Amino acid sequence: MEAVAEGLWGLADYHENKGEIGKAVKCLEAICQSHVSFLPIVEIKTRLRISTLLLKHTHNVNHAKSHLERSQLLLKAIPSCFELKCRTFSLLSQCYHLVGAIPPQKLILYKALDLTSSASQDVAVKLWSCNFNSQLANAFIIEGDYQSSISALQSGYVCATEISYPDLQMFFATAILHVHLMQWDDENSVLRSISQCDRVWESIDPNRRGQCLGLLFYNELLHIFYRLRICDYKNAAHHVDNLDAAMKADMQKMQEIQQLSSELDALNQSLSRPDLPSRERSALAGRQIKLQQRLRSLEDSSLTGKEFLEPSYFGNARQAWGDKLVLAPSPMDGEWLPKSAVYALVDLMVVILGRPKGLFKECMQRIQSGMQTIQDALLKLGITDGVREVDLQHSAIWMAGVYLMLLMQFLENKVAVELTRSGFVEAQEALVQMKNWFIRFPTILQACESMIEMLRGQYAHSVGCYSEAAFHYVEAAKITESKSMQAMCHAYAAVSYFCIGDAESSSQAIDLIGPVYQMKDTINGVREEASLHFAYGLLLMRQQDFQEARNRLAKGLQIAHNHMGNLQLVSQYLTILGNLALALHDTVQAREILRSSLTLAKKLYDIPTQIWALSVLTALYQQLGDRGNEMENDEYRRKKLDELQKRLADAYSSIHHIELISKVKLEVQQFHELDIKRAMANQSMSVNLDIPESIGLSTPLPVQSSSRLVDLDGGRRGKRKI
């Protein structure tokens, strides 16, 4: 009967290589369903093979789980078979993970670790121990138990150290850093993890590092997430440059592999011709050898994991070879995210760093590239027009969540770019897309609800609808649990209330910004600090305390320039400081500050800030009696104002305008929320990249007379409401 099993195994391999997965599974199931008994070891191996096929090529997780549970029962009666037992435990843990059964997953992993602890402590056993600890850490993360997750990862790190596997040590070091970034209860712990990652990475042989592409991306992205979290954009830049260069090199390599494979296929087709002359056959055979050698050298230059049995540790394994960025050697086969998702993340990082600098052309190219990558991935997951949360296969929820969250980040940045350069209609379209995606996937995208409300406020403020803007900012603050996000929302709402200009609105602004500003020392983040200084500076201006307002705004400007590198925020700070200098009769400083502001606003295509700066400059020249410059400035201001009014008219006439500004919260129907909570838990594996900081901190256009400096009733992102 063993010969029969061997034959069916071979036939299954044949069908799998042809992509006929159903036929391959039927060949293997014939062994399990046979009336004639096979040896238990044959049945176990067959069921393992079926499970692997189902997990790699289908969403039929429950079927795979049934085969693995049967294999586990059979293995209980066999005292040996350590490798098969470990493979069964690993795959069964994967199945429990995919169906969201975390307690059974943890139980099976504890049994697996007991098995490894009782076995001889050789390299193979230690590797399996690393496998189980990594999966156990992931299970703890889903439950929000960060400390237990770190403990499991530290156990894995110890095992990797004992067998002297630096790349495996790096895997655990980066995973520990990832958990610390998610938990973020102690920045010193984060810094220690970063130092550990740097030490381990340097300990890996430089030639070996070139093969660890997955670890390179994982480590660099985590470093970037940390830098973005503390708004250290300058030190994040070189990490992004490293990633971008690595991504382009890998894409070029994969393109060469594809071209060589196509050429080799065509050459093999020619060599199969029986009438091929011997001289030509000899030449083609020589070319064939060279192509094969080049292909092997390219394929061996990185860890691909194409020979591994286990599906991916962090997600599913339904990617072709070359689409995986493997993090660790077999039997780990650890993959953080599919290559397409990682490459989309690299594009996103380029956007996040480039947008505050005004590199809009590059940003829009990356946004388009990243969104196309994500749309292609969503199609592969079966997410087409009309598909909603309730329609998703359970095993696809986590990966769908990864791509959907990335998509929302791209759309968020697109809204930010368009609002910065007064592309109100384009911003509408991107914001409506965000809203529609959220309505279709409300549980998976639950973390985006506050962001969408905030962006609705940004849009409303940009087009001069200040009351509606304040409403959405306040709603965003109610939704989020983040103290930093709440602080920014209150700061933005206060600015909008100041822009309305009446006594009641000013009182509401004071009620919002006063308490938050008193607590600013308890709120982490330079972005939040800059927001609060801006809003509080406006409050002091309203209270006629110009000198103190100048001090607070100067401090905010220093933060925006030195730490954030945010040109629009710098331009806005300069404009209001120029306005203050004029009010304090420091005309020389006012002129220099306002010219700098105008230069930056022009670079950013920021029409409202240009108009604002030009208005103050016109008032300055009027005060100096410089009639020529006053008329020239005012003429250019009117030209820009006409351009802005046209853009505002287009925005107001759009079918989306009322929908976005209306004082109504998003209403969605939650589908099978309990089933999707696992996806939400897994979203904690992605770092919150927060809200775009370059929009929303803005005051209205000043009136013509500098004596009415604090009369904030004009339109900053436009004139007053039309």
Side-chain angles (χ1 to χ4, degrees), residues 343-354:
Y343 284 179
L345 253 179
V346 175
D347 281 333
L348 183 61
M349 296 302 102
V350 173
V351 172
I352 287 175
L353 289 189

Side-chain angles (χ1 to χ4, degrees), residues 324-439:
K324 296 182 72 175
L325 290 169
V326 176
L327 295 178
S330 178
M332 296 290 295
D333 193 17
E335 180 191 45
W336 176 37
L337 294 173
K339 185 184 283 189
S340 59
V342 173
Y343 284 179
L345 253 179
V346 175
D347 281 333
L348 183 61
M349 296 302 102
V350 173
V351 172
I352 287 175
L353 289 189
R355 179 176 53 75
K357 299 175 184 176
L359 306 175
F360 296 147
K361 183 177 180 181
E362 170 76 1
C363 287
M364 293 307 292
Q365 288 174 347
R366 295 300 185 118
I367 288 172
Q368 185 177 1
S369 167
M371 288 179 62
Q372 185 59 56
T373 298
I374 292 166
Q375 294 284 8
D376 292 344
L378 290 174
L379 281 175
K380 291 178 182 177
L381 290 169
I383 299 177
T384 56
D385 292 341
V387 171
R388 300 169 71 89
E389 205 168 72
V390 70
D391 304 316
L392 288 180
Q393 297 262 3
H394 199 120
S395 57
I397 289 174
W398 185 81
M399 196 52 64
V402 168
Y403 284 109
L404 288 170
M405 287 296 290
L406 280 170
L407 180 61
M408 295 295 268
Q409 293 281 354
F410 277 111
L411 288 169
E412 173 193 355
N413 278 274
K414 187 175 182 182
V415 172
V417 169
E418 298 299 355
L419 289 182
T420 300
R421 60 185 186 182
S422 308
F424 306 127
V425 173
E426 293 81 0
Q428 282 179 358
E429 293 169 355
L431 191 44
V432 168
Q433 285 186 58
M434 292 182 74
K435 182 180 174 183
N436 291 340
W437 280 108
F438 175 73
I439 289 171

Side-chain angles (χ1 to χ4, degrees), residues 570-579 582 590-602 606-621 629 633-634 636-637 640 699-704 715-716:
V570 168
S571 176
Q572 291 170 354
Y573 263 115
L574 287 173
T575 304
I576 199 167
L577 282 167
N579 208 341
L582 182 59
R591 178 161 46 191
E592 293 305 313
I593 290 174
L594 291 166
R595 283 176 174 173
S596 297
S597 172
L598 184 59
T599 300
L600 289 176
K602 285 180 178 178
D606 183 354
I607 300 173
T609 303
Q610 288 182 53
I611 296 170
W612 184 15
L614 287 164
S615 298
V616 184
L617 273 170
T618 300
L620 169 66
Y621 291 130
N629 275 324
N633 245 45
D634 198 48
Y636 187 60
R637 182 190 67 83
K640 285 294 170 183
T699 62
L701 296 172
V703 291
Q704 292 298 315
R716 176 265 169 204

Side-chain angles (χ1 to χ4, degrees), residues 11 17 21 184 208 212 235 274 329 358 380 383 416 418 518 527 538 599 678 710:
L11 190 57
N17 291 333
I21 307 304
W184 198 266
R208 177 66 174 168
C212 301
N235 285 315
K380 291 178 182 177
I383 299 177
E418 298 299 355
Q518 297 303 319
R527 176 178 46 244
L538 291 180
T599 300
R678 190 178 116 299
V710 292

Side-chain angles (χ1 to χ4, degrees), residues 550 576-587 589-591 593 709:
R550 195 179 199 179
I576 199 167
L577 282 167
N579 208 341
L580 271 170
L582 182 59
L584 295 168
H585 306 293
D586 188 348
T587 54
Q589 187 181 52
R591 178 161 46 191
I593 290 174
L709 176 66

Side-chain angles (χ1 to χ4, degrees), residues 102-215:
I102 304 307
Q105 182 189 15
K106 287 164 58 180
L107 184 63
I108 208 74
L109 289 169
Y110 286 135
K111 290 180 180 178
L113 287 168
D114 286 342
L115 175 66
T116 58
S117 65
S118 62
S120 59
Q121 298 301 295
D122 58 17
V123 171
V125 174
K126 293 286 188 182
L127 285 171
W128 277 114
S129 182
C130 288
N131 175 308
F132 300 135
N133 274 303
S134 68
Q135 293 196 59
L136 185 60
N138 199 34
F140 282 126
I141 283 296
I142 293 169
E143 295 182 329
D145 188 348
Y146 297 113
Q147 197 53 54
S148 296
S149 178
I150 290 171
S151 296
L153 291 169
Q154 287 172 336
S155 297
Y157 182 85
V158 169
C159 283
T161 304
E162 289 172 349
I163 58 177
S164 301
Y165 271 41
D167 47 340
L168 193 51
Q169 288 177 264
M170 188 65 189
F171 167 78
F172 284 105
T174 48
I176 290 169
L177 171 58
H178 198 159
V179 178
H180 279 304
L181 285 171
M182 292 155 53
Q183 187 179 19
W184 198 266
D185 64 341
D186 177 14
E187 190 171 348
N188 289 327
S189 297
V190 178
L191 289 171
R192 284 194 296 270
S193 289
I194 288 173
S195 297
Q196 184 183 33
C197 288
D198 292 341
R199 285 196 307 272
V200 177
W201 185 248
E202 288 300 318
S203 73
I204 301 175
D205 182 86
N207 294 326
R208 177 66 174 168
R209 276 185 231 153
Q211 298 178 331
C212 301
L213 193 60
L215 284 173

Side-chain angles (χ1 to χ4, degrees), residues 439-463:
I439 289 171
R440 286 169 60 190
F441 300 91
T443 314
I444 291 175
L445 297 177
Q446 191 173 40
C448 297
E449 185 178 8
S450 177
M451 176 173 69
I452 294 170
E453 282 299 316
M454 189 180 212
L455 290 174
R456 289 176 75 185
Q458 303 282 17
Y459 168 76
H461 188 103
S462 297
V463 296

